[in-house]
Amino acid sequence: MLLSSDANSPYTLLLPLALILVLSKLLSLVARKIGLPQVVGLLLTGIVLGLIKMIDNQSIFTPFTMEGISFIAEIGVILIMFSAGLETDIKQIKKTGKEAIIITLFGIIFPMLLGFLVAFVLPGGLSKETMFRNLFYGVILTATSVSVTIATLKELGKLNSKIGTAIVSAAILDDILGVIILSVIISLEGAIVDGNGGNVGADIALVIGKTVLFFVLAFVIGLLLRKLFKMLSNKYDHHRRIPIFAVAVAFFYAYAAEKWFGIADITGAFFAGLILSGDKDTEYIEKKTDVTSYLLFTPVFFAKVGLTSLESFKDIDVSFILFGVLFVLAGMAGKLFGCGAAAKICKYSFKDSLRCGIGMMCRAEVCLICADKGIDAGIISESIQPFILALILITSFVTPVILKNSYRGEIGHDIEDIIAYINPEKARQDKLKAQ
Amino acid sequence: MLLSSDANSPYTLLLPLALILVLSKLLSLVARKIGLPQVVGLLLTGIVLGLIKMIDNQSIFTPFTMEGISFIAEIGVILIMFSAGLETDIKQIKKTGKEAIIITLFGIIFPMLLGFLVAFVLPGGLSKETMFRNLFYGVILTATSVSVTIATLKELGKLNSKIGTAIVSAAILDDILGVIILSVIISLEGAIVDGNGGNVGADIALVIGKTVLFFVLAFVIGLLLRKLFKMLSNKYDHHRRIPIFAVAVAFFYAYAAEKWFGIADITGAFFAGLILSGDKDTEYIEKKTDVTSYLLFTPVFFAKVGLTSLESFKDIDVSFILFGVLFVLAGMAGKLFGCGAAAKICKYSFKDSLRCGIGMMCRAEVCLICADKGIDAGIISESIQPFILALILITSFVTPVILKNSYRGEIGHDIEDIIAYINPEKARQDKLKAQ
């Protein structure tokens, strides 16, 4: 037979890819219809595919195609983090300044602490291994993804309200801090736990040194690159060339971070985005890379998460399920009370403080990617993935409801009200039909 | 160390990718500067990378990263063929009708015949194996890529001249016929040479039956899909969703063709494109898929060709080099005389017939992809790749020169004249500088 008909020929990847694309688009269409963010649709796709994989018996999801999927998912992760960096508008933070910083700090410390404490439920006391494991479970809970919150506030016309801008700035800041903390913990863990058992102190010094060196180099080289891109964009206005060079920079930064500095590749990609953010061509670069990642890479990343997380669920023990549930609650409570309290300290009204807590509660791809990173690094168990999915699904659903409701000043007592909060249009249509 | 720092972690793919992107953009920039098509830049990138790989000693291009590259290159191939199908405008052919058909037929028969004859230089007489091998070398030479010709004619304002439209239509037709012939030969070879040695007659009948069945099904299901897409595009005007579904269809058609019908996956992708061509949303789909493939997939495909073809060049024997040179000449002569004669038969002037022959001489990615397919299928030697590269490079350089010159009615005697033919602007600037 044809060599290209072998089970291990690249063309076999095309069927899973087609499946992923069709499902994710259909399910994100459904999600949107009931007023939920696209990310929910993508997550559900992953779960559905995970179920298919269980009964599929390696006809579609062979070890070989799974490898192809993990290659594409990796590129997806890099593009997502790069675009997260591009979206980061430093100027925005200056607007709200001190308040945003306080909200961010509380919004990082509380979830980290809660996550850390909850992790004690897991077997293993405070050995140096579990210390990092517990810390990492905390770190996962720091990254906010306020796209859902922003969408809701936009819809309510409250995005540019005082609390609205505070939420957006805080979310930006805690992405940056979250990524830095993640990098430090990953590399420290690398030095202390997996270290060659030599002089640990020296290892730690080395790791911290490397981490600092990375950020310094990333910044200095970044300034030069930024100049180069300014030059390019003045030379050829809106040219295909620019996004391609930008993506190349993201890939290179990601590789360098992981390979030469022992820092997560996602940190490199995120900082590549930061470097090119808030510039004349930023929006153009973002548009082109987003087209590419939404056309293939992002759906494949979410699919990969679903495909791997459901398997890990099979051999999960009770104590972990208990932990998982507490972990999800910690993730929600941490932001709700942390950011809420911070807002109150910043003299916001109780209602606005509540809105801040609710708004910062949302998680999405960044949280998922951080967890993925910890699993790859062997720091945390892959069994956590289903709970991360749950955290994202719950917050994506709950935040818009409560947020909209907080602006209506009333609680929905039945499903119609909830629908009304999520999707006013639909509710209105239903009412009309009813009459 | 971190699990994700292993040599076989997907992140290691990021460095080769960054390298590919930067090099291909720089070199296609250079190519454009001297008036050559982008494809030349992409090919040169492949060659440069091939040389880097030789001295690289598997630090960048490890077996693992090469596997990742081949996954992405496969997607690139599918997207290129899909987009080739999308660009195929059946209406265009009706315009020129009979003439285009004659030019196409001559333009297919001559190169196929010459390629077939030249292949006798290779060891092995007319055994059933070599018969298919020789035939396939002929088939590779059938596919034209007139993008260079079109660009040149546009520049000369002759694209809508009688011969211009004839060339474009003929090029479209011979893509379709070329792909069909390729499919038939690949599947016949599969049945006869690699067959289980059973009843060959029955095998052939089965293969032909399957091939016909594929085209019938592809067409019928295609009509339904076309209706579905019309519906979608009326419902959500210019929505992201549509290109994604389109790409999914391309992936699925490609997979089905290869897996269930023993036909090349590229045939499936090309027909998926045909189905969605000439429709309201075709242009939009093409735009989005092109952004994606130019941002990553197409450069990676060309890089892969270069990376693999140079290695094959190391252990190449003299008889093959002789064949390779003859093969390149056959490729050029076949189209030049075939299409030229056909045009003359269609009562075109000698000069227009010459232009037709020259214009149809161009080869690019489709030719490369066909060869790649034959190599994957184990029908032809991978040592042919460098000569395919040569054929593409030579025609991409020669065609514009002669074509422009034929419209100037004079031969360039020195480099300045040639530059003047290729890039009038540059020549003008040079003159100004000289004064």
Side-chain angles (χ1 to χ4, degrees), chain A residues 368-427:
Chain A
L368 208 46
I369 290 170
C370 293
D372 219 29
K373 210 63 224 163
I375 293 165
D376 280 351
I379 302 174
I380 58 170
S381 157
E382 63 177 358
S383 308
I384 194 64
Q385 270 180 328
F387 297 99
I388 306 274
L389 298 189
L391 177 60
I392 296 171
L393 287 172
I394 294 168
T395 52
S396 310
F397 185 82
V398 168
T399 299
V401 177
I402 305 185
L403 214 52
K404 289 185 184 184
N405 151 67
S406 81
Y407 279 103
R408 285 154 189 274
E410 57 184 4
I411 294 288
H413 292 299
D414 55 32
I415 186 66
E416 273 157 0
D417 289 346
I418 292 173
I419 290 173
Y421 297 134
I422 308 172
N423 189 341
E425 287 73 19
K426 192 180 175 314

Side-chain angles (χ1 to χ4, degrees), chain A residues 87-146:
Chain A
E87 283 167 10
T88 304
D89 180 4
I90 309 287
K91 298 187 201 78
Q92 165 76 30
I93 298 162
K94 292 184 187 143
K95 273 191 218 153
T96 35
K98 176 174 118 294
E99 292 179 359
I101 294 168
I102 296 169
I103 296 172
T104 309
L105 289 179
F106 277 64
I108 284 180
I109 295 161
F110 272 62
M112 263 196 81
L113 203 65
L114 284 178
F116 181 79
L117 292 174
V118 164
F120 282 114
V121 178
L122 291 171
L126 239 184
S127 75
K128 59 180 185 173
E129 282 82 3
T130 55
M131 181 183 69
F132 280 106
R133 180 197 69 188
N134 301 352
L135 260 175
F136 203 93
Y137 279 122
V139 174
I140 297 170
L141 294 174
T142 58
T144 321
S145 294
V146 284

Side-chain angles (χ1 to χ4, degrees), chain A residues 332-394:
Chain A
M332 296 170 70
K335 289 287 180 186
L336 181 58
F337 296 121
C339 301
K344 200 82 206 66
I345 290 166
C346 298
K347 308 249 184 311
Y348 282 99
S349 71
F350 175 77
K351 219 162 187 188
D352 272 345
S353 306
L354 177 75
R355 284 165 185 151
C356 180
I358 297 293
M360 297 289 289
M361 218 166 61
C362 277
R363 308 297 205 288
E365 49 270 45
V366 177
C367 169
L368 208 46
I369 290 170
C370 293
D372 219 29
K373 210 63 224 163
I375 293 165
D376 280 351
I379 302 174
I380 58 170
S381 157
E382 63 177 358
S383 308
I384 194 64
Q385 270 180 328
F387 297 99
I388 306 274
L389 298 189
L391 177 60
I392 296 171
L393 287 172
I394 294 168

